[in-house]
Amino acid sequence: MFNRFQRFLKHLGPGFVTGASDDDPSGIATYAQAGAGFGFSTLWTILFTVPLMIAVQEMSARIALVTRRGLMHHIRNRYHRTLVIGVAFLLFLANTINIGADLGMMASAAQSFVPVSFAGLLIFMALITLVLEIFTSYKTYARYLKWLTISLFAYVVTAFFIHAPWKEVIASTFIPRIQFNSDYLLILVALLGTTISPYLYFWQANQEIEEEREHHYPKVSTSLLRRMLGDVSFGMIFSNVIAWFIIVATAVALFSHGYTEIASVDQAAHALAPFAGSFAAALFSLGIIGTGLLTIPILSGTAAYACSELFGVREGLSQKWWRAKTFYGVIIVSVVLGAGMNALGIPPFRALVYSAIVNALIAPPLLFMILRIGSDKQVMGEHVSHSWSRLGGWLTFVVMT
């Protein structure tokens, strides 16, 4: 059984890891707040976001596979330098804030298990992610990321530890129950922002290139693009299934018992314990740590790819650190700044939800650029994006705007 699962993981590519990274502590915070604040009434958004995510991620991956270049390279060549620098800066800023909030949340979760100070755990978590990202080979690093996705099953297990009214859950998933008030609309924006996050576009594209470097794929072919679509589709569906379980678990354990506002990971775990059991509460905290270890390297790596492509310097996790100093320098700076952000005293859970809203605001211009590039025959040749992908991409652009 274990060997079969190991072979299954081996055949999954960047799409799976990208999808799993979408359920980072920021996503968990937002989904948990949606479940605690609004019960099952936001479950319908999961079905809505799946096709949108697949369309955008497929287009990002297709651009990289066809051109063997990252998104920022094409954006730099196509748009005004001031605009491109502004986009790169906002991406770096959003990712750094996300990293800081993720680290803070991980440290808070770890305090449930280890009697160490918050600052000590924060520094330890930051150092672990930097050491793994800088000093391990891409092949080892990619395998490590795949194994970390297992931590997401903590939320599936948690959901089954509680007695959910499954008929009502299923009905709410397929029949939208929209509330017309500012709080509900705000959580919808946050859900879109954390689910269709800008860093996913860049990570997907650059990891397709890293895979090509690792495996030396031949010239792009229909079969290679089909494999990519299957990988992307599986990853995005997996991501949204996990999000669905998080909303269900927190809706049953928290919303139904009057806990409608979550301020910290400790509060969420302690609130879960009386209704879902101490084991389920512990799983909730462990999931935060595991997904943080999965996502922080991806957030810092995305910023590094974008900045390196912007200035035309060597980049890639397959490169040794002394051969790509700017690339790894951006990774170090983003993690250090993110860790230092916790000294400002902003509650990690609150910062994570609002970082999702920031992501929703910067996504539309990036989506517009990706859609134009993916539809350009001069760039893509015979492999321009499919009409269904363009339709899904433009729909995503309209919704996010």
Side-chain angles (χ1 to χ4, degrees):
M1 185 73 172
F2 176 78
N3 290 335
R4 189 180 300 171
F5 183 70
Q6 197 172 24
R7 286 196 300 271
F8 173 71
L9 278 182
K10 186 178 180 180
H11 285 93
L12 293 174
F16 176 59
V17 173
T18 303
S21 73
D22 194 30
D23 293 317
D24 67 330
S26 171
I28 294 167
T30 309
Y31 300 134
Q33 185 57 63
F38 302 94
F40 304 132
S41 66
T42 59
L43 285 175
W44 64 271
T45 61
I46 302 300
L47 290 180
F48 182 73
T49 54
V50 168
L52 303 186
M53 287 183 73
I54 291 175
V56 173
Q57 296 304 124
E58 190 274 344
M59 191 175 292
S60 300
R62 178 180 288 264
I63 291 169
L65 281 174
V66 172
T67 67
R68 305 293 164 95
R69 296 285 187 175
L71 297 179
M72 188 57 74
H73 170 86
H74 294 291
I75 293 172
R76 181 192 69 187
N77 291 340
R78 193 180 186 100
Y79 296 97
H80 193 278
R81 188 172 179 82
T82 303
L83 173 64
V84 176
I85 291 174
V87 167
F89 173 75
L90 287 174
L91 182 69
F92 175 84
L93 181 64
N95 284 11
T96 300
I97 293 172
N98 216 140
I99 288 168
D102 282 358
L103 282 170
M105 198 169 175
M106 290 163 66
S108 295
Q111 283 186 304
S112 303
F113 309 99
V114 184
V116 178
S117 68
F118 175 85
L121 288 168
L122 183 76
I123 294 170
F124 178 70
M125 299 287 184
L127 286 175
I128 281 182
T129 57
L130 285 175
V131 168
L132 287 172
E133 195 164 9
I134 295 171
F135 296 107
T136 58
S137 68
Y138 174 74
K139 186 176 181 180
T140 303
Y141 179 73
R143 190 185 308 125
Y144 142 78
L145 289 178
K146 287 182 184 179
W147 279 108
L148 275 175
T149 60
I150 295 173
S151 62
L152 290 168
F153 286 100
Y155 299 106
V156 179
V157 176
T158 301
F160 282 103
F161 262 78
I162 56 181
H163 300 291
W166 292 109
K167 286 185 179 180
E168 185 182 350
V169 168
I170 299 300
S172 298
T173 303
F174 290 95
I175 304 172
R177 291 189 295 168
I178 300 173
Q179 301 175 24
F180 294 95
N181 57 69
S182 59
D183 289 339
Y184 188 81
L185 293 177
L186 187 66
I187 203 66
L188 288 185
V189 173
L191 286 170
L192 285 170
T194 197
T195 304
I196 313 177
S197 298
Y199 75 86
L200 299 176
Y201 323 152
F202 290 90
W203 181 259
Q204 178 78 55
N206 286 109
Q207 289 316 287
E208 295 292 350
I209 297 171
E210 294 281 11
E211 287 286 305
E212 189 278 328
R213 289 172 183 167
E214 179 69 27
H215 300 289
H216 304 289
Y217 292 139
K219 186 178 178 181
V220 66
S221 62
T222 303
S223 61
L224 183 61
L225 292 173
R226 192 182 298 119
R227 177 206 60 78
M228 174 272 291
L229 176 58
D231 178 43
V232 166
S233 300
F234 183 86
M236 299 311 116
I237 292 170
F238 175 79
S239 169
N240 282 272
V241 167
I242 298 297
W244 186 84
F245 275 107
I246 294 170
I247 294 174
V248 169
T250 50
V252 174
L254 304 181
F255 176 78
S256 60
H257 293 91
Y259 289 85
T260 59
E261 187 71 32
I262 301 174
S264 70
V265 69
D266 290 336
Q267 180 189 344
H270 290 152
L272 275 168
F275 314 111
S278 57
F279 180 67
L283 279 177
F284 185 89
S285 296
L286 284 172
I288 293 289
I289 298 169
T291 57
L293 290 172
L294 168 68
T295 307
I296 288 174
I298 292 175
L299 285 164
S300 58
T302 299
Y305 279 116
C307 292
S308 297
E309 289 175 359
L310 174 63
F311 297 108
V313 298
R314 184 172 290 172
E315 43 76 22
L317 292 169
S318 56
Q319 304 286 347
K320 299 296 184 183
W321 68 266
W322 60 85
R323 291 173 60 83
K325 292 179 181 178
T326 300
F327 176 78
Y328 286 106
V330 174
I331 287 174
I332 293 170
V333 169
S334 62
V335 173
V336 170
L337 287 178
M341 192 188 79
N342 286 274
L344 300 176
I346 302 171
F349 226 76
R350 180 172 297 175
L352 285 169
V353 173
Y354 282 95
S355 72
I357 296 172
V358 173
N359 278 325
L361 296 176
I362 65 174
L366 284 172
L367 285 169
F368 179 83
M369 294 174 186
I370 292 169
L371 284 160
R372 294 295 301 274
I373 295 165
S375 304
D376 191 340
K377 287 188 176 181
Q378 290 186 332
V379 175
M380 302 295 289
E382 62 180 315
H383 298 293
V384 291
S385 299
H386 291 298
S387 56
W388 66 265
S389 182
R390 293 198 298 271
L391 176 62
W394 283 113
L395 178 60
T396 306
F397 169 75
V398 170
V399 170
M400 296 294 279
T401 300

